[in-house]
Amino acid sequence: ERSSCAAAEAKLMSTTDCLGNEPAPIPPGPGDAARFFLISGYLYVTDFASWAIKNRPGPRPAGLEEGMPRMPTILELRDAASVVCSESWGNLSAVALDPTRKHGFTPPKKVPHRCFEISYIVALLSSGYGFADDARIFDIVEDIDGLEVEWTLGAFLHGLSTGGHGSATEAQEL
């Protein structure tokens, strides 16, 4: 059940020292200029949720009639998680495991994990990092300016910018 899983994930996020207790800092500038790129696993999981919403029988939740927006709010991610997690395994697996209809980023062995993963993303962004539920700052992307991005590049650049391996100046030059 999604509500029990979500509550456990939120509790974990709020009690861990790993993320600290402060909300994630929003970059300076106009309020609508802040953007956080969701890449890699975020992309695969949210794309699956959007695909599942479009392929489910019956009505779709208000605001998600066409699936997940490219820049969803946490509220929309939470609604998508509710759809994915409330879908019967029979309905979901019939579509997800059909070779002609399956989701492009989700091999059969990953289908059962998608409910946990989308719920975890919601808990991480809201309870873990402290982003506002209605902030439209998350940009789900596979590439930026035509260049593929992966978390390893982000980790490398973060290391450079925080003095882990070089200086902030070197990171800006990249």
Side-chain angles (χ1 to χ4, degrees):
E1 178 180 293
R2 182 194 169 325
S3 60
S4 299
C5 186
E9 290 168 335
K11 182 179 179 184
L12 175 66
M13 294 298 158
S14 65
T15 59
T16 183
D17 290 332
C18 177
L19 299 174
N21 294 323
E22 297 296 320
I26 304 293
D32 61 351
R35 277 182 25 194
F36 290 87
F37 293 106
L38 301 183
I39 63 170
S40 195
Y42 291 96
L43 166 70
Y44 307 141
V45 172
T46 57
D47 194 72
F48 178 86
S50 186
W51 171 89
I53 290 166
K54 292 177 193 174
N55 284 283
R56 77 185 299 255
R60 298 175 183 148
L64 297 177
E65 293 87 1
E66 301 301 317
M68 186 96 69
R70 180 177 157 187
M71 291 186 70
T73 65
I74 291 173
L75 291 171
E76 290 164 336
L77 289 167
R78 190 173 286 124
D79 287 346
S82 292
V83 169
V84 170
C85 297
S86 67
E87 194 62 53
S88 76
W89 177 248
N91 288 343
L92 186 60
S93 64
V95 178
L97 302 178
D98 178 342
T100 63
R101 299 170 66 197
K102 68 180 185 156
H103 180 251
F105 294 133
T106 306
K109 69 179 184 179
K110 290 296 290 177
V111 174
H113 304 166
R114 291 303 193 214
C115 171
F116 171 80
E117 292 165 343
I118 188 77
S119 296
Y120 180 77
I121 286 171
V122 170
L124 183 65
L125 296 175
S126 60
S127 300
Y129 292 129
F131 289 111
D133 280 354
D134 61 349
R136 194 167 298 283
I137 56 176
F138 307 110
D139 198 349
I140 302 169
V141 298
E142 189 168 6
D143 61 64
I144 299 174
D145 294 334
L147 300 172
E148 185 177 352
V149 291
E150 285 291 331
W151 71 266
T152 52
L153 175 61
F156 171 74
L157 294 175
H158 176 73
L160 285 178
S161 69
T162 59
H165 300 289
S167 68
T169 304
E170 290 173 313
Q172 290 172 353
E173 291 172 0
L174 291 175

